[in-house]
Amino acid sequence: MLPKMVYIKDFKDYLGQEVLVKGWVYNFRSSGKIAFLQLRDGSGYAQAVVNQPAVDADSWKVASDMTIESSVEVVGAVSKHPKKEEYELQVKQLKFVQCAEEYPIGKKEHGPDFLLENRHLWLRAPRQAAIQRVRTTVIMATYEFLLGEGFTKIDSPILTPNACEGTTELFEIDYFGEQKAYLSQSGQLYLEAAIASLGKVFDFGPVFRAEKSKTRRHLTEFWMMDAEMAFFDHKMSLDLQERLVEFIAKRVVEKNKADLIALERDISKLENIKAPFPRLSYIETVERLQKAGSDIKVGEDLGNDDEDLLMKDFDKPVFVEKWPAAIKAFYMKREGDLALCADMIAPEGHGEIIGGSQREDDYAELLKRIKEHKLSTDAFAWYLDTRRYGSVPHAGFGFGLERLVGLMCGVHHVRETIPFPRTINRIYP
Ligand code: 4AD
Ligand code: MG
């Protein structure tokens, strides 16, 4: 009979005992009568030592035929490194689940194109696994924080008749006959309907942007968390956003120490992410940038270079607030010519991680904006209803999960922070 199956992360509880481990051999070496297998089982990494005299002939044959990334079942006794907190397996029995063919990702340096083409295999690399564990923490911390603040999760639809952000970046779906349909760019508008039922709501899911941008911050499909709060003004929303981001950074430091070390992340950068975050007006920001040598003019959006230039002076995220309404979305509440909105810009070149605003709550104003933006009043009839039946001041924001994970991990290209990236020129694998 086989001994109990255990996970590598629990080895410390089985010191001296015989256990069964199932996993993959990510590396190995042998010399004469001894072989060292580097095992990965999804919970951790450990070395298995195969000593020829201690195993049967079949097991030794498996050790001799070993290939990188073969899947295996190993029976052995757990032992501890004399000095370090490291555990090993002294092998009694070794079996292939499947003997892997020659693995395409080797020890030599591969270019990003090769790695992306093999993303289904690249995902097994320790660095990639560490990023995905941090991503999980960011997701869970977001739920934990928002539920603690009294939010309810509202799953907004992915197929929608409305544009939410710019109409130039919409994926059109030809399915519903005469009715135009698109893939969602953000669930915001649906959350605005739900606040009248539940007060504070959020969604968290994939969104789509047919963006022609080819930068390290843009994906075609990415994950957004939208939050929307009844009776919140612009300032209350910023206060909430900075507490949320501080909380996420704190949880990542607590839960992902080993991953951050594996990623060579400077943990002090995450410990710096403490509220309050500096708040600069758009005008102040443009003036600062001009002084620093940018050719940006009032009325223009910040380019990636501008964001990086601005953030040279800051070691935590910064809000740039009150932008010219003309370059922001139709639904934003105005204060004169300015929109009551803010972008949260991250330090270290991670760019805009949050976009948010107070929303226009007046029916007539909103209708005027929809017409000005040449959007369909039919498709937006339901949205306008929210301003006809008990409209209230409200605000909300959305974060881009991949950019936030990039900030936590110190990983500069968003294609590494999502399991299977889709960009302007990539749909495979
Ligand atoms: O600033 P955005 O476009 O805002 C909205 O969609 C609002 N409706 C959100 C809301 O108020 N509920 O997008 C929000 C965030 C950005 O700050 C950025 O972090 C991320 O989503 N983002 C992208 N991330 C990766 N690839 C892209 N193409 C992105 N576009 C936006
Ligand atoms: Mg934005």
Side-chain angles (χ1 to χ4, degrees):
M1 211 184 79
L2 287 173
K4 181 175 168 188
M5 189 199 131
V6 305
Y7 288 106
I8 291 171
K9 73 171 172 49
D10 300 323
F11 269 9
K12 59 182 181 313
D13 302 329
Y14 294 91
L15 200 56
Q17 295 180 43
E18 204 159 282
V19 298
L20 166 65
V21 180
K22 301 182 183 189
W24 295 263
V25 175
Y26 66 91
N27 209 350
F28 63 91
R29 66 192 161 86
S30 60
S31 64
K33 292 186 181 317
I34 191 158
F36 300 94
L37 312 180
Q38 308 307 321
L39 287 183
R40 177 186 77 239
D41 76 343
S43 82
Y45 304 90
Q47 173 163 276
V49 183
V50 193
N51 222 327
Q52 187 180 7
V55 298
D56 54 42
D58 287 350
S59 295
W60 184 248
K61 171 109 175 51
V62 171
S64 314
D65 294 345
M66 191 51 65
T67 59
I68 286 191
E69 287 299 324
S70 280
S71 43
V72 292
E73 286 185 11
V74 195
V75 172
V78 177
S79 66
K80 185 173 178 294
H81 189 283
K83 294 203 186 76
K84 290 186 256 177
E85 270 302 305
E86 271 173 26
Y87 297 83
E88 285 190 341
L89 210 54
Q90 306 300 325
V91 178
K92 294 266 161 62
Q93 231 185 68
L94 178 65
K95 251 175 47 182
F96 278 127
V97 176
Q98 191 249 336
C99 177
E101 293 177 32
E102 192 181 339
Y103 197 60
I105 301 184
K107 270 176 243 154
K108 69 170 171 32
E109 282 283 312
H110 293 292
D113 284 338
F114 177 84
L115 291 171
L116 286 166
E117 201 64 11
N118 288 283
R119 181 60 171 171
H120 50 299
L121 303 177
W122 184 28
L123 213 45
R124 303 181 189 192
R127 176 184 157 84
Q128 299 306 315
I131 295 170
Q132 291 311 312
R133 280 189 293 265
V134 171
R135 182 177 167 112
T136 297
T137 301
V138 172
I139 295 169
M140 295 311 287
T142 302
Y143 276 83
E144 186 187 348
F145 178 86
L146 292 175
L147 295 182
E149 295 285 325
F151 280 72
T152 300
K153 175 125 190 287
I154 287 290
D155 297 316
S156 51
I158 286 175
L159 294 172
T160 103
N162 321 90
C164 180
E165 300 302 314
T167 45
T168 51
E169 299 167 2
L170 280 172
F171 275 106
E172 204 169 319
I173 306 286
D174 181 15
Y175 179 80
F176 297 92
E178 293 291 280
Q179 170 81 70
K180 283 216 188 282
Y182 312 99
L183 295 180
S184 177
Q185 298 171 305
S186 157
Q188 176 196 325
L189 307 183
Y190 293 94
L191 296 189
E192 288 186 60
I195 57 164
S197 169
L198 293 150
K200 292 189 254 186
V201 297
F202 72 108
D203 66 16
F204 207 154
V207 292
F208 306 86
R209 305 265 169 115
E211 283 199 86
K212 297 293 173 218
S213 323
K214 231 176 165 175
T215 80
R216 58 191 169 80
R217 294 170 189 169
H218 287 90
L219 291 161
T220 303
E221 173 180 330
F222 66 98
W223 278 58
M224 194 186 299
M225 189 287 293
D226 296 283
E228 198 70 29
M229 299 80 65
F231 301 106
F232 265 53
D233 64 14
H234 168 66
K235 184 179 169 301
M236 291 162 80
S237 177
L238 300 198
D239 295 347
L240 184 75
Q241 290 171 41
E242 62 190 8
R243 284 200 296 119
L244 168 63
V245 173
E246 172 181 333
F247 183 83
I248 292 170
K250 181 170 137 247
R251 276 286 180 270
V252 169
V253 171
E254 284 165 9
K255 296 199 182 279
N256 296 87
K257 266 257 157 66
D259 296 318
L260 295 173
I261 292 167
L263 290 163
E264 297 176 4
R265 181 66 172 131
D266 179 350
I267 294 177
S268 72
K269 303 271 190 211
L270 300 187
E271 289 164 343
N272 278 341
I273 304 182
K274 291 243 157 60
F277 299 164
R279 297 176 188 189
L280 305 176
S281 73
Y282 168 84
I283 295 292
E284 257 178 283
T285 305
V286 170
E287 283 167 4
R288 252 185 120 100
L289 287 170
Q290 287 170 340
K291 277 200 198 106
S294 167
D295 54 11
I296 189 174
K297 290 177 204 64
V298 171
E300 289 176 359
D301 201 356
L302 268 61
N304 283 355
D305 295 349
D306 291 317
E307 288 177 356
D308 294 347
L309 189 60
L310 174 70
M311 294 312 292
K312 285 212 165 81
D313 300 335
F314 300 97
D315 60 2
K316 57 162 123 171
V318 167
F319 289 108
V320 177
E321 58 175 352
K322 304 192 178 174
W323 293 60
I327 56 168
K328 286 290 184 185
F330 74 94
Y331 52 71
M332 292 180 178
K333 179 117 190 134
R334 293 187 184 180
E335 195 179 63
D337 289 338
L338 301 178
L340 280 176
C341 67
D343 286 355
M344 186 192 290
I345 320 277
E348 302 179 85
H350 294 280
E352 180 199 327
I353 46 175
I354 297 189
S357 68
Q358 191 170 330
R359 320 304 193 188
E360 182 50 71
D361 49 290
D362 181 75
Y363 175 84
E365 272 300 313
L366 189 59
L367 180 62
K368 198 170 94 194
R369 286 309 152 56
I370 286 174
K371 286 180 176 159
E372 278 169 12
H373 280 80
K374 302 199 165 47
L375 296 166
S376 150
T377 44
D378 284 347
F380 280 92
W382 70 270
Y383 183 63
L384 285 159
D385 273 356
T386 62
R387 274 61 170 179
R388 296 169 69 204
Y389 306 106
S391 186
V392 299
H394 63 288
F397 61 92
F399 74 50
L401 177 59
E402 290 70 23
R403 293 187 191 176
L404 201 47
V405 173
L407 169 64
M408 296 299 142
C409 294
V411 166
H412 273 272
H413 205 303
V414 287
R415 69 189 170 203
E416 271 192 85
T417 64
I418 188 162
F420 293 96
R422 271 80 181 91
T423 54
I424 184 167
N425 48 20
R426 175 164 298 284
I427 184 77
Y428 180 91

